[in-house]
Amino acid sequence: DGYSGKPAHHAKPSRLDIHEDLIRNKLSIKGTTMKAVYEFIFSEVDPAIGTYSNFIKYIKRKGISLDKTPKGHPRFETAPGIQAQVDWKEDVSIANRYGEIFTFQVFDYKLGHSRYCHFTYKTTKTRQDVFDCLIASFKATGGVPTEILFDNMASVVDLKDGRRHVNNRMSAFADDFHFRIRLAKPRHPFTKGKVEVINKFLDWLLPYEGEFETENELIAILEKINKKVNTQVCQATGVPPVLLFQKEKEYLQPLPNQKVIEFYLSNNRQTTVQKDSMITYKASKYSVPSAYIGKSVH
């Protein structure tokens, strides 16, 4: 009598409807990604929003998707404990809920076999900062790899007669901690692609714009993201980095004795006085006379 069957589509509301304005707002932040926004809402707002694939379908249906074409590069694998790759995520800027802008650096350290990584928050990128970050990463992973791959960090590499040379201070550090220094080829970013992948996870910070108050809260957010990176399935290996790390850490070399470590964690360091007449030391801020603004101090 005219029955045409069940309707092809159901006008069923989505749980994400109540977050639509938030999704649009967070996706409007320059440089953010769909994955970053999903992780923010899942972790901080509503853990019952469903899977990431359903999240993608929803924002595409609403016409707010971001189309990006991924670029692939060949990978090379290393045995456990052989290599780590390091890089800086430079001049990351994010505002707290009062509109104060925090600009900082993130040191990325990643073990080549397991992809286990460690992020270190810094306000500068001096050679002393590199020492501090490497030692913090060695302690966090429980050992030292056989070699570390660097790019052309000014604090590591000197140019002489058009050729790259590792500076003497960095060479001495490597000798004392028993690892070799390898330099990535210029204009070949895929040679250190494992650590470059970390940069996309740091974009997960962007949805936290306006969601924190202090620098300590910002550092805690970075640590939370770091933990999440290590517990999510890696596309290259098919398992979370933390699982492979349990095996890889057995192959890492032990750290040198405490005297050597303390020598490189010297209390004397050089920094530049900021516009607010403040310097940062060990995650705390101290005021200095305004005459030193813009100048380098010890």
Side-chain angles (χ1 to χ4, degrees):
D1 294 332
Y3 175 70
S4 57
K6 294 181 179 179
H9 301 284
H10 295 276
K12 184 179 179 181
S14 169
R15 185 177 180 86
L16 290 166
D17 287 337
I18 60 175
H19 304 303
E20 182 177 350
D21 290 342
L22 177 63
I23 293 171
R24 290 182 181 275
N25 178 265
K26 293 302 183 182
L27 283 175
S28 68
I29 298 174
K30 184 178 179 180
T32 194
T33 63
M34 291 184 286
K35 180 66 171 176
V37 174
Y38 170 79
E39 291 293 340
F40 170 77
I41 296 176
F42 182 84
S43 299
E44 308 295 335
V45 181
D46 185 359
I49 59 173
T51 64
Y52 177 57
S53 60
N54 286 335
F55 179 79
I56 293 296
K57 292 177 183 177
Y58 177 81
I59 61 177
K60 286 184 176 180
R61 187 171 73 250
K62 291 291 184 177
I64 52 177
S65 62
L66 297 176
D67 294 326
K68 291 188 177 182
T69 304
K71 296 181 180 180
H73 294 292
R75 297 189 188 97
F76 66 95
E77 300 298 332
T78 53
I82 296 297
Q83 188 185 88
Q85 299 183 5
V86 299
D87 199 6
W88 286 107
K89 181 72 170 180
E90 301 174 344
D91 300 327
V92 181
S93 292
I94 188 170
N96 67 2
R97 60 171 48 102
Y98 304 119
E100 181 183 359
I101 303 296
F102 288 78
T103 300
F104 56 96
Q105 327 296 323
V106 179
F107 187 83
D108 306 342
Y109 175 94
K110 191 169 191 177
L111 292 173
H113 178 75
S114 64
R115 272 65 167 185
Y116 189 88
C117 61
H118 183 258
F119 300 160
T120 307
Y121 177 99
K122 285 288 181 180
T123 55
T124 56
K125 301 181 298 177
T126 65
R127 184 178 302 140
Q128 184 60 51
D129 288 323
V130 174
F131 292 162
D132 292 344
C133 292
L134 284 172
I135 291 173
S137 299
F138 296 155
K139 289 182 176 180
T141 55
V144 183
T146 304
E147 62 182 30
I148 299 179
L149 182 65
F150 293 84
D151 65 359
N152 293 314
M153 292 182 185
S155 55
V156 175
V157 178
D158 294 332
L159 290 176
K160 185 177 181 180
D161 300 327
R163 302 187 64 181
R164 300 180 299 163
H165 300 274
V166 177
N167 62 61
N168 294 335
R169 187 87 170 109
M170 193 67 217
S171 293
F173 179 90
D175 289 342
D176 286 337
F177 281 80
H178 308 297
F179 68 87
R180 296 190 301 271
I181 294 177
R182 287 191 58 197
L183 299 179
K185 293 182 179 180
R187 298 177 297 279
H188 286 68
F190 54 86
T191 60
K192 57 184 180 70
K194 293 172 186 175
V195 76
E196 293 287 355
V197 172
I198 299 178
N199 291 336
K200 75 176 183 181
F201 292 109
L202 294 177
D203 292 335
W204 292 4
L205 276 172
L206 296 177
Y208 285 89
E209 178 97 19
E211 302 289 342
F212 67 97
E213 294 184 8
T214 66
E215 184 178 50
N216 286 338
E217 288 182 15
L218 177 57
I219 294 173
I221 291 170
L222 181 66
E223 291 173 351
K224 182 188 295 186
I225 292 175
N226 192 170
K227 183 177 181 180
K228 188 178 295 184
V229 170
N230 285 328
T231 54
Q232 289 209 342
V233 174
C234 172
Q235 284 186 332
T237 63
V239 296
V242 69
L243 293 182
L244 287 180
F245 172 66
Q246 300 306 314
K247 183 65 176 178
E248 182 164 25
K249 66 182 181 181
E250 299 175 5
Y251 293 86
L252 297 173
Q253 306 173 94
L255 275 75
N257 64 60
Q258 190 61 29
K259 287 185 178 180
V260 172
I261 295 175
E262 290 176 354
F263 174 78
Y264 285 100
L265 290 176
S266 171
N267 290 329
N268 181 29
R269 58 162 292 181
Q270 186 175 347
T271 189
T272 301
V273 180
Q274 303 301 312
K275 294 179 180 180
D276 57 2
S277 192
M278 304 286 282
I279 61 172
T280 302
Y281 178 67
K282 291 187 176 179
S284 296
K285 286 191 173 184
Y286 302 89
S287 63
V288 298
S290 58
Y292 292 98
I293 292 177
K295 295 182 179 180
S296 180
V297 297
H298 288 271

